[in-house]
Amino acid sequence: MNAIQDNLKAVGERIEVALARAGRAPGTARLLAVSKTFAPEVIQKAYDAGQRSFGENRVQELVAKAPALPSDCEWHLIGHLQRNKVRQALGVATWIHSVDSPALLERIQRLAEEVGAAPKLLLEVNVSGEESKIGFVPDTVEAALAEMPAGPAECVGLMTMAPLGADERTLRSIFGGLRQLRDSLQDRLGMPLPELSMGMSSDLEAAIAEGATIVRVGTAIFGRR
Ligand SMILES: *Cc1c(COP(=O)(O)O)cnc(C)c1O
């Protein structure tokens, strides 16, 4: 086995152990391999080991690399999306985790219609209230969802990032906060929001304990960037 294959296996095991500890069914959190900064040849090794979902944080890099990989890869945009890059992003990404304003939501919906795309969207929420972080303030998510224009793009859940180096208690409170927000939005809006995208290489266990359905893991698979 090569290192990437080993790493994928190890991360897969971490996910299953965390699910079992949380009393959750096997396979209920899936792995998004974050391939940003890594070359297509490196990403191909993960593909050859069976991985199909990949996350990139820059549109330019996403559109440059995706054509070099097999067409059954599923591409997720996880970084901030500028409004003037939406059209390009929709050409490749079938998931966008980083929807962070009503204006962006509206533009994605309009262009998805125009180009015939039906992306799955996650609203990025700044649960920790850190000033440096982008994303919706928790209080503003309900209005954004309620006022989301109709169209082919579908909002399937929420995403968050915990601050680097946060301790276990802080991590649990941020990830738990995203889950509670999701639960209350589902109740209040009667809208299914099944996906919680949270947890990375260093904190995926805490995220899974709090209900993550997608963990976004880069370093633990591909090595240091
Ligand atoms: C880079 C990145 C990750 C992966 O982080 P690692 O610590 O390398 O696992 C996850 N989510 C987002 C939004 C990222 O930009």
Side-chain angles (χ1 to χ4, degrees):
M1 282 209 292
N2 61 51
I4 287 177
Q5 210 172 353
D6 283 340
N7 292 346
L8 272 171
K9 188 158 174 276
V11 171
E13 283 165 8
R14 279 176 65 189
I15 292 171
E16 291 310 316
V17 167
L19 283 170
R21 286 222 173 105
R24 297 176 55 191
T28 53
R30 61 195 202 108
L31 172 60
L32 179 65
V34 177
S35 51
K36 64 186 185 199
T37 77
F38 289 95
E41 307 82 74
V42 179
I43 305 172
Q44 180 72 44
K45 291 195 165 82
Y47 180 92
D48 293 340
Q51 182 67 28
R52 292 294 179 271
S53 310
F54 296 96
E56 288 283 337
N57 68 336
R58 293 177 56 240
V59 174
Q60 226 61 268
E61 192 178 336
L62 170 69
V63 300
K65 282 161 36 175
L69 282 136
S71 60
D72 64 337
C73 287
E74 179 185 88
W75 294 98
H76 295 227
L77 184 70
I78 60 173
H80 178 64
L81 176 56
Q82 285 171 280
R83 289 169 65 188
N84 62 1
K85 301 239 171 75
V86 171
R87 190 185 294 273
Q88 257 188 310
L90 289 177
V92 181
T94 50
W95 289 69
I96 302 173
H97 293 228
S98 41
V99 179
D100 57 8
S101 72
L104 181 60
L105 202 49
E106 200 177 309
R107 184 161 174 83
I108 291 171
Q109 199 58 291
R110 189 161 60 73
L111 291 183
E113 180 99 61
E114 203 178 302
V115 305
K120 291 184 164 45
L121 309 180
L122 296 138
L123 301 192
E124 181 170 359
V125 183
N126 181 0
V127 181
S128 64
E130 251 192 306
E131 279 172 37
S132 60
K133 286 269 170 62
I134 44 176
F136 283 94
V137 173
D139 286 355
T140 61
V141 179
E142 182 172 341
L145 284 172
E147 288 155 25
M148 177 173 170
E154 184 193 1
C155 188
V156 296
L158 306 178
M159 178 270 223
T160 199
M161 275 174 85
L164 217 66
D167 61 23
E168 182 70 13
R169 241 185 90 210
T170 309
L171 291 173
R172 293 292 292 260
S173 106
I174 289 171
F175 296 143
L178 193 72
R179 175 176 41 80
Q180 283 166 14
L181 176 63
R182 186 278 306 271
D183 292 348
S184 106
L185 291 168
Q186 287 193 142
D187 283 353
R188 294 170 59 91
L189 299 170
M191 177 190 267
L193 296 165
E195 305 288 351
L196 289 174
S197 166
M198 55 191 193
M200 321 200 304
S201 293
S202 60
D203 56 20
L204 70 88
E205 281 84 1
I208 288 174
E210 296 294 346
T213 60
I214 304 175
V215 292
R216 309 177 309 265
V217 178
T219 310
I221 297 169
F222 295 107
R224 285 179 59 184
R225 289 180 290 271

